[in-house]
Amino acid sequence: MTDTTTNVPPRLTRLTFHGPLSEARAARLVERVSPGAGSVLDIGCGWGELLLHVLEAAPGATGTGVDLNGDDLARARADAEKRGLADRVTFAEESARDTTRDPADVVLCLGASHALSAAEPPHYTAEALRELRRLVRPGGRVVLGEGFWQRTPTSEELAAMWPDAHVGEHLYLGDLVDAAIAAGFRPLWVETASPEEWEEFESGYRSDVEEWLATFPDHPLAAETREKVDRQRNSWLRGYRSALGLAYLTLMPVA
């Protein structure tokens, strides 16, 4: 529902995961990585929903989520408390770059590889994979959610995307998998977000704010908020909608 108590644009209350990830796919990912998991590390965890799913599936496991967004971490801590997981998980507001966190049995990194490297795209992907190889224990599992080009975007699509978008910004799926192998992994599972998952995410990402704008069109924050959300939607519909994919790679380190 619209936030009428504080009368400010609400943020992402319609999303379970901060990305194009369905509950069904998340359940399959958890089923693959949770057996035998004693420790879980979530890089760029946001509100840590997948991390909490893994902990629920692995009752003996403990988890750590790191992120720089304090609001998301507060949501994560509140959700962990509600679900009886607060004593098994820590959410830390810190940078993942050059982290000194101990290696874990399961490492999650969904849409956050840039948090592990200072390199320019797409070079940060290879560096992030090397970091993930360092952060996973022998015999463990990594779940990497990473953008890739499904096809070469047109100049018109690039112009509609984020500032300075360019063809070399992402790898193609085969090159992404090759990069994982070069970093010392074997790809146990390669899958990609479906159009339905993308649409659920993109619409859910803006739905709260769209309702707020319809309810409070003359609010002092409305013009600024409207411009921002219209720009985001245009970037999706006229930019990356059919060009950008999101791969979910389940990886195992080579002994």
Side-chain angles (χ1 to χ4, degrees):
M1 297 297 292
T2 301
D3 187 343
T4 57
T5 304
T6 58
N7 200 21
V8 296
R11 183 176 183 269
L12 305 182
T13 68
R14 311 288 176 88
L15 294 178
T16 301
F17 302 100
H18 196 174
L21 177 62
S22 66
E23 290 273 12
R25 190 184 306 279
R28 294 193 295 271
L29 289 170
V30 170
E31 185 178 4
R32 288 186 206 116
V33 303
S34 58
S39 58
V40 187
L41 175 63
D42 192 346
I43 301 295
C45 65
W47 55 81
E49 186 64 30
L50 190 62
L51 169 56
L52 297 179
H53 274 52
V54 175
L55 294 182
E56 287 172 328
T62 58
T64 301
V66 299
D67 202 284
L68 292 174
N69 189 307
D71 290 340
D72 283 350
L73 293 172
R75 175 175 170 178
R77 295 184 188 107
D79 286 347
E81 186 71 35
K82 291 175 186 175
R83 291 148 78 167
L85 298 170
D87 61 339
R88 295 169 50 205
V89 65
T90 299
F91 290 102
E93 188 170 348
E94 64 186 38
S95 172
R97 194 166 298 163
D98 300 319
T99 181
T100 57
R101 294 280 174 180
D102 291 335
D105 297 311
V106 176
V107 182
L108 309 174
C109 183
L110 303 185
S113 61
H114 59 277
L116 291 167
S117 170
E120 292 295 317
H123 305 295
Y124 65 69
T125 302
E127 287 195 11
L129 281 161
R130 289 193 290 271
E131 272 293 280
L132 292 169
R133 178 66 181 80
R134 181 179 68 84
L135 290 169
V136 65
R137 288 177 178 165
R141 300 291 188 272
V142 168
V143 177
L144 173 67
E146 185 76 351
F148 69 96
W149 290 134
Q150 300 186 98
R151 59 169 175 78
T152 303
T154 66
S155 57
E156 291 80 9
E157 288 171 329
L158 287 168
M161 295 182 197
W162 47 90
D164 302 320
H166 58 91
V167 172
E169 193 163 350
H170 292 287
L171 300 173
Y172 295 95
L173 183 57
D175 296 326
L176 175 59
V177 174
D178 286 348
I181 293 171
F185 291 104
R186 297 305 303 178
L188 303 186
W189 208 273
V190 178
E191 56 194 309
T192 63
S194 69
E196 291 78 13
E197 285 173 304
W198 271 106
E199 289 179 355
E200 284 289 321
F201 169 64
E202 292 289 345
S203 292
Y205 188 85
R206 283 172 288 275
S207 183
D208 286 317
V209 176
E210 294 288 14
E211 183 176 336
W212 183 87
L213 284 168
T215 306
F216 305 106
D218 299 319
H219 190 281
L221 295 175
E224 175 186 351
T225 303
R226 189 179 301 110
E227 190 279 332
K228 180 179 180 180
V229 76
D230 288 349
R231 184 174 67 250
Q232 289 174 340
R233 188 189 329 98
N234 184 73
S235 179
W236 170 47
L237 292 177
R238 292 185 169 86
Y240 59 86
R241 184 169 183 264
S242 64
L244 182 65
L246 199 291
Y248 293 105
L249 307 183
T250 303
L251 306 171
M252 182 175 179
V254 176

